[in-house]
Amino acid sequence: MKKIAVLGSCVSRDSFNSKFIPDYKDYYTCVLHQNQMSMISLAAEPISFDESLIDHLSPFDTRHFKTELDKSFFSEMKKHQPDYLIIDFYGDLFYGVQRIGESYITNKKWLFQKTSQYPKLDTKEEFQIFFNEKDRYLELWRAGVATLFTFLQVYVPHCKVIINKARFVDEYLDKETGTMKIISQSGRKKYINVPVYNKWWDALDNHVIKNYDVQVLDYSGRTYYSVEDHPWEMFYVHYDMSFYQDFTRKLLGIILTDTLIQKENLEQALQTAENEMTQLKSSKHSRFHFLDKLVLK
């Protein structure tokens, strides 16, 4: 049973939920999920906090805020030693970061400020990749990515990284009329310029794909849309069910290919070892035969 870790949003986590893929546990188990975390926050220094002040949140959101502060993702990765880590960069694109003292957290202020802890943090400036301080953001982001891959190489060397090339969608299916409507024009969700956001998503993905040894979940040629009866409601990254089915097929394809390659490599290694043993035995036999001749003389 393969162990999967997720560093990203619902676009990567939902396929490990029986609401979307009922039989996913037949293939693998999701041992760790770090929700919507910016690479900048991931690599930043831990921030001290009073656990009793992280209140007024659901258990899921409580854990999310704690992990933004304590940066426990790395220790959890060492503990679980997953076979695969699936990454998406939704957190960087949709939220950006906020500086806390000399550290950073993902800028989900709308959620974190509900707690009694947030006002006590040493909050500083907020910035996002395409709104302000782009160069600074990208510099910190690249450094965060480098920190992650260095950590994996040293502490979780057998873990393979998969980049999930999900994208924002701007169409949703109206459940009453059956017609397609535009999310960004609906007035029901925060407006975003979907093509611009997706352009930046391309840039972040491509940086990692170009510079690191990763595999990719690529949906090129497929079009998805959002739906009003999605379990988490209609949104830019809450897709129709065909996305989660495609995700699962592609992930299983990667795992199957890797398994076959590992089997082939193992068989080759065993054959090589067997050949070396045969050669060694033959060499020993030749030496003994030579010594026998000397004795007989």
Side-chain angles (χ1 to χ4, degrees):
M1 182 71 70
K2 296 298 182 182
K3 295 187 293 183
I4 311 291
V6 173
L7 175 57
S9 64
C10 55
V11 301
S12 299
R13 179 63 180 88
D14 280 349
S15 293
F16 306 101
N17 185 323
S18 57
K19 291 181 179 180
F20 298 88
I21 305 295
D23 59 349
Y24 82 91
K25 291 182 181 180
D26 292 345
Y27 310 113
Y28 31 57
T29 178
C30 184
V31 296
L32 175 63
H33 175 215
Q34 179 62 58
N35 188 45
Q36 300 179 346
M37 195 176 206
S38 162
M39 294 296 108
I40 298 173
S41 172
L42 180 76
E45 291 297 316
I47 300 166
S48 61
F49 62 94
D50 183 341
E51 188 165 354
S52 68
L53 298 179
I54 301 183
D55 48 14
H56 311 305
L57 298 177
S58 70
F60 179 86
D61 290 334
T62 296
R63 181 184 177 279
H64 178 28
F65 191 23
K66 286 181 182 179
T67 56
E68 282 281 350
L69 296 169
D70 65 23
K71 316 299 183 188
S72 57
F73 174 80
F74 291 121
S75 62
E76 289 296 305
M77 284 290 289
K78 287 175 65 176
K79 172 185 174 183
H80 290 288
Q81 294 291 312
D83 300 294
Y84 292 92
L85 171 63
I86 301 175
I87 301 175
D88 70 74
F89 300 115
Y90 171 87
D92 279 291
L93 292 157
F94 200 76
Y95 293 112
V97 294
Q98 180 173 32
R99 187 160 70 90
I100 306 293
E102 297 305 314
S103 185
Y104 295 92
I105 62 172
T106 308
N107 192 24
K108 292 186 70 173
K109 185 169 66 175
W110 69 270
L111 176 66
F112 300 154
Q113 68 184 0
K114 295 177 181 179
T115 69
S116 302
Q117 176 64 69
Y118 184 85
K120 297 182 179 300
L121 298 176
D122 184 17
T123 53
K124 304 289 186 180
E125 71 271 23
E126 308 165 24
F127 56 106
Q128 199 164 0
I129 191 169
F130 36 66
F131 289 151
N132 58 345
E133 300 203 49
K134 178 184 71 175
D135 292 340
R136 179 186 178 195
Y137 196 102
L138 288 174
E139 180 182 2
L140 291 169
W141 182 85
R142 293 189 191 104
V145 170
T147 297
L148 171 62
F149 279 89
T150 298
F151 166 84
L152 292 174
Q153 184 177 20
V154 174
Y155 295 104
V156 200
H158 301 298
C159 181
K160 297 183 178 183
V161 176
I162 300 174
I163 298 300
N164 184 13
K165 295 183 70 175
R167 295 294 181 263
F168 295 98
V169 299
D170 205 11
E171 289 186 315
Y172 73 97
L173 184 66
D174 184 281
K175 65 181 179 181
E176 291 186 2
T177 65
T179 59
M180 286 292 181
K181 296 185 178 181
I182 305 301
I183 300 173
S184 61
Q185 297 176 3
S186 67
R188 296 166 56 184
K189 302 296 177 183
K190 167 189 171 182
Y191 170 81
I192 67 169
N193 187 324
V194 169
V196 171
Y197 274 62
N198 283 338
K199 177 183 175 181
W200 279 101
W201 205 333
D202 285 340
L204 299 186
D205 281 350
N206 290 338
H207 171 80
V208 176
I209 293 167
K210 179 180 177 181
N211 292 285
Y212 299 94
D213 181 17
V214 300
Q215 299 184 77
V216 176
L217 297 177
D218 192 339
Y219 311 93
S220 298
R222 290 300 307 267
T223 299
Y224 306 104
Y225 52 87
S226 188
V227 288
E228 287 194 294
D229 58 355
H230 189 282
W232 321 137
E233 301 181 347
M234 173 268 288
F235 191 60
Y236 298 102
V237 290
H238 294 166
Y239 310 112
D240 65 275
M241 287 298 166
S242 66
F243 171 84
Y244 310 102
Q245 296 163 0
D246 285 348
F247 175 104
T248 301
R249 281 193 290 267
K250 292 176 185 295
L251 176 57
L252 288 174
I254 288 174
I255 293 173
L256 177 60
T257 300
D258 287 346
T259 301
L260 292 174
I261 291 173
Q262 289 169 0
K263 180 181 178 183
E264 182 179 332
N265 290 342
L266 177 60
E267 289 174 349
Q268 289 177 352
L270 290 172
Q271 185 62 54
T272 299
E274 184 177 339
N275 292 340
E276 290 175 349
M277 287 297 295
T278 301
Q279 292 173 4
L280 180 61
K281 289 178 180 179
S282 176
S283 174
K284 286 181 177 180
H285 177 75
S286 298
R287 291 202 305 272
F288 291 147
H289 185 63
F290 176 73
L291 289 173
D292 288 343
K293 285 185 176 181
L294 288 178
V295 171
L296 290 174
K297 287 182 179 179

